[in-house]
Amino acid sequence: MAAIYALLGVAPPGADILYFAFVNYATLGYGDVVPVESWRLLGPITSMNGVLLFGWSTAVIFEVLTRAMQLRDEANDK
């Protein structure tokens, strides 16, 4: 994402693009690096994407662990 931000010129000149991408993705909010005015909506869109992917990752990890415990219990029952 940082590479795309750099390619599109989303962050102001001299800003740390990787930090800017993580601030958006992790929904930390702005404080020190603000996108250029023509790209202001990209931050909230990236934040929504981050929330969805964090939730999806949590659900996948939970399902994998649940199935692993079921397999372990089935193996112990035999």
Side-chain angles (χ1 to χ4, degrees), residues 13-28:
D16 183 357
I17 300 293
L18 186 60
Y19 171 75
F20 179 74
F22 275 112
V23 165
N24 282 319
Y25 190 77
T27 67
L28 293 174

Side-chain angles (χ1 to χ4, degrees), residues 9-77:
V10 173
D16 183 357
I17 300 293
L18 186 60
Y19 171 75
F20 179 74
F22 275 112
V23 165
N24 282 319
Y25 190 77
T27 67
L28 293 174
Y30 300 117
D32 49 352
V33 181
V34 181
V36 294
E37 191 161 339
S38 60
W39 289 101
R40 293 268 163 107
L41 286 178
L42 189 61
I45 291 169
T46 305
S47 297
M48 289 186 292
N49 183 43
V51 169
L52 290 172
L53 288 178
F54 280 126
W56 179 81
S57 299
T58 302
V60 168
I61 291 169
F62 182 80
E63 185 63 27
V64 167
L65 291 175
T66 300
R67 289 187 187 204
M69 290 185 340
Q70 287 174 346
L71 289 173
R72 183 196 63 193
D73 291 343
E74 290 173 5
N76 286 340
D77 289 342

